[in-house]
Amino acid sequence: MTDLVTFGETMALFTARRTGPMRFARDFDLGIGGAESNVAIGVARLGHGTAWTGRVGADEFGDLIRATLMGEGVLTHAIADPEAPTGLMIKGRRTADLIDVSYYRAGSAGSRLSPGDLDLDLIRSARMLHVSAITPALSASARETVRQAIAGARAAGVPVSLDINYRGRLWSPAEAGAWLRETVGDVDVLFATEAEGRLIADADGAADLAKALAALGPRHVLVKFGARGAMELSDGEIRHAEPYQVTEVDPVGAGDAFAAGWLADWLAGASPDQRLRTACAAGAFAVTSQGDWESLPRRADLRLLHGSADGVTR
Amino acid sequence: MTDLVTFGETMALFTARRTGPMRFARDFDLGIGGAESNVAIGVARLGHGTAWTGRVGADEFGDLIRATLMGEGVLTHAIADPEAPTGLMIKGRRTADLIDVSYYRAGSAGSRLSPGDLDLDLIRSARMLHVSAITPALSASARETVRQAIAGARAAGVPVSLDINYRGRLWSPAEAGAWLRETVGDVDVLFATEAEGRLIADADGAADLAKALAALGPRHVLVKFGARGAMELSDGEIRHAEPYQVTEVDPVGAGDAFAAGWLADWLAGASPDQRLRTACAAGAFAVTSQGDWESLPRRADLRLLHGSADGVTR
Amino acid sequence: MTDLVTFGETMALFTARRTGPMRFARDFDLGIGGAESNVAIGVARLGHGTAWTGRVGADEFGDLIRATLMGEGVLTHAIADPEAPTGLMIKGRRTADLIDVSYYRAGSAGSRLSPGDLDLDLIRSARMLHVSAITPALSASARETVRQAIAGARAAGVPVSLDINYRGRLWSPAEAGAWLRETVGDVDVLFATEAEGRLIADADGAADLAKALAALGPRHVLVKFGARGAMELSDGEIRHAEPYQVTEVDPVGAGDAFAAGWLADWLAGASPDQRLRTACAAGAFAVTSQGDWESLPRRADLRLLHGSADGVTR
Amino acid sequence: MTDLVTFGETMALFTARRTGPMRFARDFDLGIGGAESNVAIGVARLGHGTAWTGRVGADEFGDLIRATLMGEGVLTHAIADPEAPTGLMIKGRRTADLIDVSYYRAGSAGSRLSPGDLDLDLIRSARMLHVSAITPALSASARETVRQAIAGARAAGVPVSLDINYRGRLWSPAEAGAWLRETVGDVDVLFATEAEGRLIADADGAADLAKALAALGPRHVLVKFGARGAMELSDGEIRHAEPYQVTEVDPVGAGDAFAAGWLADWLAGASPDQRLRTACAAGAFAVTSQGDWESLPRRADLRLLHGSADGVTR
Amino acid sequence: MTDLVTFGETMALFTARRTGPMRFARDFDLGIGGAESNVAIGVARLGHGTAWTGRVGADEFGDLIRATLMGEGVLTHAIADPEAPTGLMIKGRRTADLIDVSYYRAGSAGSRLSPGDLDLDLIRSARMLHVSAITPALSASARETVRQAIAGARAAGVPVSLDINYRGRLWSPAEAGAWLRETVGDVDVLFATEAEGRLIADADGAADLAKALAALGPRHVLVKFGARGAMELSDGEIRHAEPYQVTEVDPVGAGDAFAAGWLADWLAGASPDQRLRTACAAGAFAVTSQGDWESLPRRADLRLLHGSADGVTR
Amino acid sequence: MTDLVTFGETMALFTARRTGPMRFARDFDLGIGGAESNVAIGVARLGHGTAWTGRVGADEFGDLIRATLMGEGVLTHAIADPEAPTGLMIKGRRTADLIDVSYYRAGSAGSRLSPGDLDLDLIRSARMLHVSAITPALSASARETVRQAIAGARAAGVPVSLDINYRGRLWSPAEAGAWLRETVGDVDVLFATEAEGRLIADADGAADLAKALAALGPRHVLVKFGARGAMELSDGEIRHAEPYQVTEVDPVGAGDAFAAGWLADWLAGASPDQRLRTACAAGAFAVTSQGDWESLPRRADLRLLHGSADGVTR
């Protein structure tokens, strides 16, 4: 049973092992990453059936993406595009406190996603459709794919979740704002940082921002403050979540983990308080080890946030 | 001249190089580890003759254990058991703050230790016998070996040191408690965390716990609080030790280092205050670099706890 | 559609990166391996649906096995045994020409396989059941599992394939011979090296050996000569296959690759000549790169055995 | 003094450290590579002044290319293009005998080379212009750049060297052939494999092929047979070179090394026999260690082809 | 145009990858390092022409030094000394907070620097000569080289910068003090830690120390307090700089970065306030990633000290 | 019981992991190496008590040497010299077929060996003294140490073994020849390559060379032909040994292994034929894996030269 359906671009990911300018890095790890597939993995680890669709190259990196997602238990439809290669991300640590990410995704297989790639029946029978605002920035066909997916979901009464995930290298704030304004009225759950929220709403404080965003349509608005916690406005009520105190190892993927935690608890029918707590816990847990998605928690992992007496389990 | 004799199971140790769930770790280091041999190395580095006995497989890992301990100057009697392999430990870092250790030691060579493996003459001529409560949990023959060793030491007037080192994967608190209650009356020096002490004594505060433990027989009771220091009750007098402020790199082995520091200073005839300070310093130093025992200090290293002006020596 | 069903023990696999005595190896890779799951991967890569069942520990290595097999497209039923850990293999290169493999599988989760773990319906609806003679050597319950699986297959008219895969560390030649003699009458396809064939048949040359084995029941007998090719006796007719000339990188897994190649072509309805050629090609290809199963070929890979003009594709 | 001027696309190069399908590679090295810059390095190591021009991204990989080439003593004009990233190569070893190279160069900075990037004065004052037929396949502006460079050189009486370096992923044989036919009349030195020569000339044997190529214009035609040596047709005279017997470590870059060896000796005024011998020696030497260009020889290195008595220098 | 000229010994640098006693380190990186060449790189990255002269061995490490410095855009005169090898540094991390550096430089090529190696014309036409007090401690000829360089600069009106960089393994405080007292009168810019300043001046507080140093001749005296900032006394006026709060990754090279920042802004004609701020920023930035000089900032990097909202750029 | 006593310089050893010019190597392993200690390890592995004496620095590398040799069971007297550092070797693979070794040993602790460091009683009670002609080339005191050791052995009737081990970087052929001529009359066993033999004897063929060497004193003359086997002249009788066919991984240490094999069998009282066969087998085995001494065989290893059927043991 597929509870949550998502789609988007997932890429091969080279991660430098040395802190400093990447030209001095000598060893790189190979893995994969993608905002939507991260969410699919995260929700699956928390106990729900998830599915992901995307285009990959007919190449080793495409095979790696397919095998990795299948291995994580995500129902995977990784279409091999014979015309374009799998996109790449290169990730490093510029300084102890600054992650640097660059992309080779122009013209990639993933950006060539088109409406025909979707399985609308799967979307209609799911309990949630999750999309990010990265996909509409990839290409016209990808944007149309998002449009049709949301339309299909709404027509079938399936709620829609959107994580803004603004990427400044793909489009301008104005372009992103225009698309978001068109789309947000069809969205039920909206995830945004404060800066992302301000792409489409004008408000000073976070609470006012949440209200302004909710006024555009979403029933649930989640405003994320990074290491400083998060706020939820649902059905007119505002909740605050205190952040967990953790030692950060790799901040990438925290937002995807937050969304996964929230969506998993929504699917599980948890209370609003519990749901927000799980979202924050998942986000916190995800930064305590290396990797964009490898560190996503299972239910049992969440208790590790409290540690053991001497920090050693045996 | 062998000042301190110990025995137990030492294992090959694979350490994951990546922080996160171990299934995503790709590179592992090979080394060795074992609570008692760690103490033997630690006491040797602080200037005393030490000996260790144990069983290893007739395999590469057994050879590695033998070579490593001999290389550290420990008089090593690593009996090659043709019937069973050397035990393994797998160690990783689940999150920045949580070490995860698992074992492959069921039926291992090390667990097959038996009384005949001991050199009782060596024990009788030593100045201290050190054991841990890991060994009695390994097998009936290992438990009997501990019993005979302690009996032999006592008969010869050699004091006995015991570090509880409770391992929940090997036996239950009830089983451990039963054995400890049988044994502690024959022990002169007892090392325990608060939780370990409560396996056999019921008391609220640490001081009361130390007194309750001392009432069971040991002349010296050491209660360890991890990064928060330690307490010693010796000859009815309680001493507190403030912890050293260090940047922790690897917490594993801190307890063994503490024991080694205390025992080395006891062997050296240091004052009780100095002895406890050295124990804490050794424990603190041991967490400042990688490895269960590689980081054990020499006398000269202990001054490094105070650092140099710019953190660089040249 | 599952064409081939198999089951057995799959283990975590540590591979040393340095040639020489393993105690001097310092870096190890983590992966997985198991004879039957290797075959399941190999047949899947050559285009058929495969399924694998086994027990793993409720631990990181068990999760790794599950994720890896699922990622390779094998319908995976990896039962998490809460009572026992995932087995381990340690693999190294003793010299340039000699691979050394050791195991930590006594009492492992994988060895605790029992008849109830099987999905007999899946076996009955498959087109081939594949087993190895490693499984019966693991435990009484594992042996009974093999017995019931073969009985179930035969009752449903599903042919049975058996690769002898003799493991001298698990049982003696006499024990293996006894089990094989009991079982071989129920087998349709038998894979053996010459030495393995002689566990149950007494004959001088390879052809006579094949005939003696076929006389015990199997319709197809495959005798493997390693780098010197292979022989098939099917329906009374003997075929010889010349070996492919390749540069060997890692010989482990060649036998599994051979079986996978043969079984895939049998499932595809290829001619006997083609089938044997594919088996040899798969075996040859598998040794040209690192890993027990990573190097298993797809159909398109088999043409790479002929190389390109300058050994570089771009 | 710049003896040889060249230009083209140089890319960041990730090299997998494991033999096998690249999706299983876990560690990659970062370096750089590019056919023309390889030649520039090679000729510089053999004692002549060289210059290279190209576009790179305004990114870490562009900086790496600039630093590497400058470090090798090549007069480097690496124009930072703010609009496009540095191209990438991914290189691995599919099997022991097959290198696999893929590219991320569509729309790369390097492909945006345009005539204005050239320093025509530098070309006019050089003693040789070297180009490859990769550049015209990158973009219309890159093709025009080659055209103008050759025209500028010829107008100034500077001889032109062309290495065909056919890349099937960039253009078809027909497209390549058309461009080559247009261009070869302006070329003085032509490097080609047999297959490359047949893109524009129709002849059976290598000697006839060389003659057919020379008939199109070039005074010097070099036909390379990989590990089987090479042939030169200069001024109507054919010379054969026996290959050196070496243990191949990495075949990539052998062609560039051959060209570098020939051009360096041409610049040095060596005899035709010596020139061809140096070309073959440089090509042979380059495959004896890792890297596309790192292994290019200096004059003193060429004697290492004969080895020392026991294969150890000290 | 060469703005700043410097010279000294640059060495090959092996860096251990593991924290702890170096005998347990198993992997080392190869790079280079040298106080003066670090400054030359740092000033070049901040936008000025720099030149470095030194002796290296006629060996691979000498070639590595030459290529690295040329690659960084430093006008490099690395004289290959056929009689002596390139010096070595071995660098590790003894504990999380203590870097350990040792040297193999006795009799090294670098220590054989002699006056004839200098290009006095280059010094005379530069805008600043920078030296360290490491060079005079290397050998008599190296000391004489410093003397002649300073004399040449002064004769041509070129200001002289001196970083004390006291190395206790090369000479005693008394020896260093004697040389510094002889030399400081010819110096315009003096860089010192408090301890270094006290080699030649007797004063309690930092301000008094700065004044006492300035009284010996230098117009600009920079007193560095490591992570606690710095103080400048220029033309009788004292300025204090607050330290930047950064997460330290590798403290080595901070002093060279400080000097580079100050000298670059002096060359750029920045205001005294700005100059000191840039010095501190460069020093702070340099410790935020690995390597003695790899982490030296460009102008654009300095803004990274303020980080981005979520610590990720994309 | 110490059967064989030796002494000399042992160094820390950095080994590059990449084939090619060492300046492009990025990863180095740390280990140790020294001709005499290699022999001590080799003889110990083959079953005899051995002792080694040498000077090391009071540094991490000295500690590493001591721990490694003690770990190998060699009675180790590694004197920590407070005045000089442990010597270094840097080892790499220039091409697939050429190992490159360089040294940092001028002024090293090891070269400061002096007669007082020797334990003459240990030599007098041993059954063989083994020296190399590296030691006399290190320093005057080291040369005198060799002289006194040989004199002490002879006075006590202990036979002396000498491996010429000519090192061209330490002394000239003339210097070496002079020393050898002085010394060879006191030697009972002489190991030499043909080139080394010709330093002191003038003869065309190997047999004549052996006779000429024997005429200078040694009862046993061993002439080594590398991969082409060896010849022994003992008591006037010449024996030839065919080489073993092995795949070479690292040729360094083969000569030490040959000596160790011969000496171990001499100590064991083996027949001359067996002794020479063991010497060749040990030399052959030592090149089949990485490391100067790690690959030295035990008795049981020698049978691995014949391999197993499929090159895999399990």
Side-chain angles (χ1 to χ4, degrees), chain D residues 217-282:
Chain D
R219 180 175 167 194
H220 307 284
V221 171
L222 284 301
V223 183
K224 300 174 291 181
F225 310 129
R228 288 174 297 103
M231 164 189 292
E232 172 169 351
L233 172 60
S234 281
D235 303 321
E237 191 174 347
I238 283 197
R239 283 176 177 78
H240 292 273
E242 289 305 302
Y244 285 79
Q245 299 306 323
V246 292
T247 304
E248 183 186 294
V249 169
D250 180 353
V252 179
D256 301 331
F258 182 93
W262 195 93
L263 292 166
D265 263 24
W266 183 90
L267 289 166
S271 73
D273 284 346
Q274 177 59 40
R275 205 166 59 192
L276 182 58
R277 211 154 43 225
T278 297
C280 283

Side-chain angles (χ1 to χ4, degrees), chain D residues 128-148:
Chain D
M128 178 71 79
L129 170 71
H130 176 71
V131 299
S132 89
I134 299 170
T135 310
L138 295 177
S139 70
S141 70
R143 187 179 297 205
E144 176 61 15
T145 307
V146 179
R147 200 192 61 74
Q148 293 192 18

Side-chain angles (χ1 to χ4, degrees), chain B residues 14 17 21-30 59-61 63-64 85-88 90 94 100 103-104, chain C residues 14 17 21-30 59-61 63-64 85-88 90 94 100 104:
Chain B
F14 284 96
R17 291 198 183 146
M22 200 177 287
R23 65 190 185 274
F24 300 112
R26 296 167 160 187
D27 304 307
F28 287 76
D29 269 340
L30 175 61
D59 51 31
E60 287 288 319
F61 295 152
D63 291 347
L64 177 64
T86 304
L88 295 189
I90 320 274
R94 181 63 186 82
D100 189 18
Y103 298 95
Y104 284 82
Chain C
F14 284 96
R17 292 199 181 145
M22 201 177 288
R23 65 190 186 275
F24 300 113
R26 295 167 162 190
D27 304 307
F28 287 76
D29 270 339
L30 174 62
D59 51 31
E60 287 288 319
F61 295 153
D63 292 346
L64 176 65
T86 305
L88 295 189
I90 319 275
R94 181 62 186 83
D100 190 17
Y104 284 82

